[in-house]
Amino acid sequence: ASVTSRRAQVASRTLVGRLAFYEHMQQLSWAEFEQACAALFRGLGYEASLTSEIGDAGVDIVLRREGQRDIVQCKHWKERAVGSPAVRELLGAKQDFGAADAYLVTSGFFSESARALARRNKGLHLWDRDTLMAAAGRMLRDQAQRDHGSQG
């Protein structure tokens, strides 16, 4: 790999690493949080494009994998629960974008009404801070095992 792509991998891993620990996640700016979430989805095998440069229309990250388009809305809320209005907004964006799946990702947690609304809508996934930390930790462990195996 080129030096540039190696640096990008290290930077990406560092951002994802900050999602794996609650205290580090809370220190991210909203822009860093979106970048870290995009890096996480890339590590999970998606092409991930931030929409911040083009105006997000309720979507922060557009995902592509195997011909399917999915969307992500990030809420870096430290104190209050993400409620059902955010879920409704994402449902509208999912339809507008023609997305197969939609992810609402938060550094906090979801209200019960948000969870209930998501359960009633196929293809809508809520990732709270615990889900995010687990996914980030899993991705980092998997990458470390692959790196270790490729050095053998």
Side-chain angles (χ1 to χ4, degrees):
S2 72
V3 173
T4 304
S5 68
R6 186 74 184 132
R7 282 189 187 131
Q9 287 175 340
V10 170
S12 175
R13 211 172 280 180
T14 300
L15 273 173
V16 173
R18 292 183 72 185
L19 292 178
F21 299 96
Y22 179 70
E23 297 78 19
H24 297 288
M25 184 191 313
Q26 294 305 311
Q27 293 171 0
L28 294 170
S29 70
W30 66 267
E32 290 169 327
F33 182 71
E34 288 179 7
Q35 292 167 1
C37 289
L40 174 61
F41 278 100
R42 283 186 200 107
L44 296 173
Y46 290 90
E47 257 181 62
S49 305
L50 290 163
T51 62
S52 53
E53 300 85 29
I54 58 172
D56 69 16
V59 174
D60 294 315
I61 305 166
V62 176
L63 304 175
R64 286 187 172 74
R65 181 167 68 181
E66 298 171 3
Q68 178 174 308
R69 181 165 54 174
D70 300 332
I71 58 172
V72 180
Q73 175 67 45
C74 301
K75 299 287 186 194
H76 191 28
W77 293 1
K78 300 173 187 176
E79 300 298 323
R80 60 192 170 120
V82 177
S84 55
V87 176
R88 281 192 192 88
E89 179 184 345
L90 186 59
L91 282 169
K94 180 178 180 277
Q95 186 172 352
D96 289 347
F97 274 75
D101 288 312
Y103 296 84
L104 186 53
V105 178
T106 183
S107 55
F109 52 97
F110 295 99
S111 69
E112 187 48 46
S113 64
R115 289 186 183 284
L117 182 57
R119 281 191 297 269
R120 293 192 305 268
N121 288 276
K122 186 177 189 270
L124 188 63
H125 310 280
L126 301 185
W127 285 22
D128 63 10
R129 67 179 174 218
D130 294 334
T131 305
L132 201 52
M133 289 188 300
R138 213 172 21 253
M139 190 201 99
L140 292 169
R141 280 191 304 279
D142 290 350
Q143 282 186 341
Q145 287 174 344
R146 279 194 304 272
D147 290 350
H148 183 71
S150 68
Q151 293 173 359

